Structure formats: C-alpha cells, structure tokens
Amino acid sequence: MSTNVLNQFARALSSGAIRVVDLSQPLEAGTAVIQLPPEFGKSWPFRLEEISKYDSRGPAWYWNNFSCGEHTGTHFDAPIHWVTGKDYANNATDTISVEKFFAPACVIDVSREVAADPDFLLTPKHIVEWEQKHGRVEAGSWVLMRTDWSKRKDAAAFLNIKEDGAHVPGPHPELVPFLAKERDVIGWGSEGVGTDAGQAFRFEPPFPCHSGMHGSNKFGLASLTNLDQLPPKGAILVTPPLKIVKGSGSPCRVLALIQD
Ligand code: 23J
Ligand code: MN
C-alpha cells in the first residue's frame, strides 16, 4: 500500500471505499429563490436560454446562456454577503483561500423535530447533546442542520410562505455566536432556501445567521439536500463557489466524501 495519501485517496475513490454524495439541488427555472419583503431588491430566478442545439445556429454544438442571482439553488454565502463581514480581507468568492473549500462536516439530525414544527430552531443545547454522542464539533468544521426540508420538492411547500412570512427551520439566534466563537466552525449549512430561519427577519439581531456567521468571517451553505445520506461525523465537504470577482456567493455543486 502506497504511503502517499493522494494515491490512497485515488484508490479509495475507484474501489468505492470512499463514496461521493451530491448535496446539491438541480438548478432549473423552477428552483426556489428567496423571497424578501417587497421593499427589498429581488434575486433573479434561474433561467436557461438555448444558443444552439446541433442546428442552424450551431450545427455540431449544443450550449446555453444562463442567468440567476448569486444566491440561487444550492449555494455558498461568502462573508462579504453581509454588512458585518464586509471589511474582512479575502472575504469574497474570488479571494477566499481555496483550502477552505475542503472541510469536515458535523450533521445534526433534527428531522423529527422539524416534522412536528416547521419553525423549529436549533439551539446550543442540541449541539451539546449531539457532542455527548459524537464528540466535540471541531474547529474548522461545517455544522449542517438536517431537517429533511429538501424533501419538499414543490417550491411553494419548500418556501412555505404564509401571510406573516416564511416558516422554515433554522438556527436559534443564540446558536450562532456559540458556533462561531465557542466552536470556531467554518460555517453553517441548511436545507432551507437560505441559512437563516424563515422568521429570522423578526429576530434580534435580524437574520442572526447571516449577521453573526459572516460577522465572524464564516461561510454559509443553503438549499442543501441528501443530508440524510451523511454520517453525523466523518464526511468531508467540497464547496468551491464560482470565482466571481467580488462575488457575495454563488451556486455551488456541494459534494460530500464519505467512508462507509
Ligand atoms: C439576502 C437577505 C436575506 C437573506 C438572504 C439574502 C439569503 O438567505 C441568502 O441566500 O443569502 S435571508
Ligand atoms: Mn445566500
């Protein structure tokens, strides 16, 4: 057996000892996009326009133009996305050091709680309970909230907007400083359309996950799926956003490496 860790890695991938799980939603016109109150600017939905398909416009080639907001579908949030993170060095999609796009994940399964309460909020107590079983959330880890929310395939059910705003689970305001400061995580990931809970615009501070995570130079992942295929601990996430110059985020093909 080679002692070169990359050789071992290549062999483990080809033998299936390491599996790759796709944590990304398909990107298409129907992909759910965050809806903010009407006084705020709007993010474009995903749109695909054919340039040619082996036809008079291009006899041997198929290709498309596409457009969308940076925060469309499964996507990466950079610290520059929020006013609290605007002054960090290397805080945008093009300048974050690429080593940070590989990091371990802790998966907190609260799918049962969320089935009973779509406004469920994850608190430090849930993390401490998880740590009693699985060990400490190590510095530099992602914390992913498994809710099974992504099983809501219909965009209206996924966004779950009522008269008083969206009802989607997320982190409790007290959880954010706990994860950012006491655990020094790399970021937070949700199955919902954004990293914050649906009612987070009412929280103090508003949008505490965006405000607190990016205010601590941490990242976000939103609209994740297939978290039910991950172990509580041990997966490595691969999360490179597009290299948009001064980008606040980007659609992202989020992958998890797992060893069975
Ligand atoms: C802008 C304002 C509020 C929110 C968001 C963006 C997102 O969720 C996002 O995708 O970053 S809550
Ligand atoms: Mn976002």
Side-chain angles (χ1 to χ4, degrees):
M1 184 68 145
S2 169
T3 58
N4 179 307
V5 78
L6 284 179
N7 286 343
Q8 290 176 358
F9 179 60
R11 219 182 310 249
L13 280 171
S14 61
S15 73
I18 291 176
R19 283 196 302 122
V20 184
V21 180
D22 190 352
L23 306 187
S24 332
Q25 304 263 15
L27 255 184
E28 56 194 344
T31 297
V33 172
I34 187 129
Q35 312 279 323
L36 297 176
E39 61 267 32
F40 299 120
K42 286 195 190 349
S43 180
W44 293 349
F46 185 81
R47 196 169 78 86
L48 199 64
E49 185 187 85
E50 200 172 277
I51 308 171
S52 73
K53 197 166 190 181
Y54 333 119
D55 54 23
S56 62
R57 299 166 301 172
W61 51 95
Y62 167 56
W63 56 343
N64 303 296
N65 288 311
F66 73 85
S67 56
C68 65
E70 291 174 322
H71 298 254
T72 305
T74 303
H75 71 271
F76 184 99
D77 286 356
I80 199 176
H81 178 39
W82 220 254
V83 64
T84 50
K86 73 182 174 57
D87 294 325
Y88 285 109
N90 305 324
N91 61 353
T93 47
D94 58 324
T95 53
I96 293 167
S97 41
V98 292
E99 290 77 14
K100 295 192 175 176
F101 301 142
F102 300 83
C106 298
V107 183
I108 319 300
D109 179 6
V110 289
S111 52
R112 210 164 32 87
E113 290 84 343
V114 168
D117 176 13
D119 289 309
F120 176 83
L121 301 176
L122 194 74
T123 65
K125 182 170 156 277
H126 294 107
I127 300 292
V128 170
E129 283 168 8
W130 181 94
E131 288 180 328
Q132 282 161 5
K133 282 193 214 147
H134 305 291
R136 196 172 163 96
V137 171
E138 279 155 29
S141 302
W142 287 99
V143 172
L144 308 181
M145 182 181 180
R146 174 185 163 197
T147 55
D148 289 348
W149 197 259
S150 61
K151 294 185 179 174
R152 295 178 173 229
K153 296 299 175 195
D154 170 71
F158 181 73
L159 293 170
N160 204 29
I161 296 167
K162 312 281 187 206
E163 250 164 53
D164 60 348
H167 292 270
V168 178
H172 191 281
E174 285 171 16
L175 180 62
V176 178
F178 176 81
L179 291 180
K181 297 195 164 71
E182 292 182 44
R183 292 296 181 272
D184 194 20
V185 300
I186 195 165
W188 164 268
S190 284
E191 289 183 54
V193 68
T195 54
D196 262 302
Q199 290 287 303
F201 65 95
R202 300 179 194 281
F203 294 176
E204 192 41 54
F207 305 110
C209 190
H210 284 83
S211 169
M213 281 286 159
H214 302 326
S216 293
N217 205 16
K218 310 299 187 187
F219 309 145
L221 292 171
S223 295
L224 294 170
T225 189
N226 294 330
L227 297 186
D228 56 351
Q229 295 181 36
L230 300 185
K233 202 173 200 178
I236 303 278
L237 296 200
V238 186
T239 64
L242 295 178
K243 201 169 180 173
I244 299 170
V245 175
K246 297 198 174 82
S248 76
S250 118
C252 188
R253 190 73 181 260
V254 177
L255 302 177
L257 303 173
I258 62 174
Q259 186 168 6
D260 288 322

